[in-house]
Every structure is written in structure tokens, then in C-alpha cells.
Amino acid sequence: MRCPFFMVVTSCLCGLCSCFFDDKRKPNQEKPPIAATTASADDQTAIITHRTVELSTGVRLHLAEAGPPSSSGASTVLLLHGFPELWYTWRHQMRALAAAGYHAVAPDLCGYGDSDAPTVAYPGQYTALHVVGDLEALIDDVLAGGEKKKQVFVAAHDWGALIAWSLCLFRPDRVRARRAQHRLHTPERRAEARRWAQGALRLFRSWIVSVCFSLFSLT
């Protein structure tokens, strides 16, 4: 088992390297092409387009897309960002997936970027059921391309990985395959934390018994 501290240090170093060696473009400089309808097939795989869609749940999500559309029969890869990130996290992977013939879709999740952000007066709208419901509506309303019960590939990072786990648990019929980075499955983590807590409690009880025995032996 790897040391958690080593994993944290490695993740921080990777983030610093990406800041120093990444390109100088900013997220708002990625704009939809003016003449996307006249672009060739090779050009379309390198272009990231943007649009805002309103789902049947009433939520408006900002989408970044690359590659052939779902209506052409291409497999869809749904990319879920972490905290505090946006679709921009996946810009390099989107171009690579598009070049391989996939339809790459990276939304700004609810509460991030140009997507709707329900007010704090309604915190219930950010539950796992609501977020997964938004993703299900996104798959059905926007990405299905006329296909019923469409399945998508899901790749997720950090906080988005928790949402991906919930999507697999609640709607496994919509997920073809899943890849999560930097986040363990929550029940597994809770079980590990419970084992640590139980061990610490047993150690504390043993210490209390030894202290009490020592005090009684001195009297």
C-alpha cells in the first residue's frame, strides 16, 4: 500500500509542473469556431466547441465538446472535473480522444463555471441524487443522438470521481466503463476509517486499564 503522504506530494508536484510548462492560453480563449459547418473532418477533431444546454431537470449546463457527434455513431466519453476546476482540466485529453474517433464531452458541473449554480438556500439540489439526475438528463437529452438507453464512457478526477461512483451505483445501465483518478470508492474509505477508529479505541481502552491498575497498585 502506497504512503498517502507520497501520493499527496506527487500530486502537488504534477500540478506545479503543469502550471509552469503548460501553454499560456486561458480558458476563456477557447472559443467555438466561426465556420464549424465548413471545417473538414480532420479539423473538427482538433476543435473544442462550446454550448449551453437546458436539461429536463431545469438545470443549464455549459458543455465543451470535441470529436464527431454522437449522432454519427461515435462513442461518447463523459469527462467530469474535480474541485476547484472546470472543463478546461480535460482540454488535452479531449483533443486526443477526438483524434481517436470519440465524442469527448466535458461539462462544467452544477455550481461551477458557466453552468447554473443553485443558491445556498436550496442545498438539497447538490445531493448525489440531484447531480446524478443531471448527468442522466444530459445523456438522454443531449448525448443520446436518438439512441435509447445510451451508454457512455466516464472518466473523472477528484470530486468528479465521487460523482462518477454515484452514477455507476445509481444508473449502471448508462455507464459502459469508468475511470476514476485520485479518489477511492467512498464505502471502501469509510470501512478503512472505521477499522482505524476501532483500533484507536481498543488502544485507548487498554491504556485506561493499565493506568487504573497502576494507580490501584500504588495505594
Side-chain angles (χ1 to χ4, degrees):
M1 179 177 179
R2 295 183 177 180
C3 177
F5 176 76
F6 174 76
M7 296 175 65
V8 171
V9 172
T10 304
S11 177
C12 292
L13 290 177
C14 291
L16 289 175
C17 292
S18 64
C19 291
F20 283 105
F21 297 104
D22 200 4
D23 52 74
K24 302 298 182 180
R25 291 172 296 181
K26 296 181 180 179
N28 57 7
Q29 292 178 335
E30 289 281 0
K31 297 181 179 179
I34 298 177
T37 57
T38 61
S40 64
D42 293 337
D43 293 334
Q44 288 179 2
T45 60
I47 293 174
I48 297 179
T49 60
H50 299 262
R51 59 173 170 158
T52 299
V53 297
E54 184 170 356
L55 307 178
S56 58
T57 57
V59 174
R60 298 172 71 250
L61 293 183
H62 166 253
L63 302 181
E65 299 175 278
S70 300
S71 57
S72 65
S75 298
T76 299
V77 181
L78 184 61
L79 305 167
L80 305 179
H81 63 77
F83 173 86
E85 301 169 348
L86 302 171
W87 71 268
Y88 195 68
T89 300
W90 301 102
R91 61 196 183 282
H92 300 305
Q93 290 83 356
M94 292 178 67
R95 292 191 175 95
L97 289 168
Y102 292 94
H103 178 210
V105 180
D108 284 341
L109 295 173
C110 186
Y112 295 84
D114 293 329
S115 296
D116 281 351
T119 61
V120 294
Y122 302 97
Q125 297 187 36
Y126 289 100
T127 65
L129 290 174
H130 284 79
V131 177
V132 170
D134 292 338
L135 293 180
E136 182 185 359
L138 174 63
I139 296 172
D140 291 340
D141 301 346
V142 182
L143 307 180
E147 179 182 349
K148 294 183 179 179
K149 299 294 183 180
K150 180 179 178 62
Q151 290 186 326
V152 298
F153 294 96
V154 179
H157 167 253
D158 189 57
W159 189 253
L162 294 179
I163 301 174
W165 280 115
S166 298
L167 178 62
C168 294
L169 288 172
F170 299 153
R171 295 311 305 262
D173 56 318
R174 300 305 174 88
V175 180
R176 190 171 179 180
R178 175 208 52 81
R179 176 73 171 101
Q181 301 177 3
H182 299 165
R183 183 66 64 178
L184 296 176
H185 192 198
T186 303
E188 183 176 316
R189 174 170 293 185
R190 288 178 178 175
E192 183 178 354
R194 191 179 299 110
R195 288 194 296 269
W196 277 94
Q198 291 174 351
L201 182 60
R202 286 194 296 267
L203 182 62
F204 178 73
R205 288 174 177 174
S206 300
W207 179 77
I208 290 295
V209 170
S210 62
V211 169
C212 291
F213 180 78
S214 300
L215 291 177
F216 280 115
S217 62
L218 292 176
T219 55

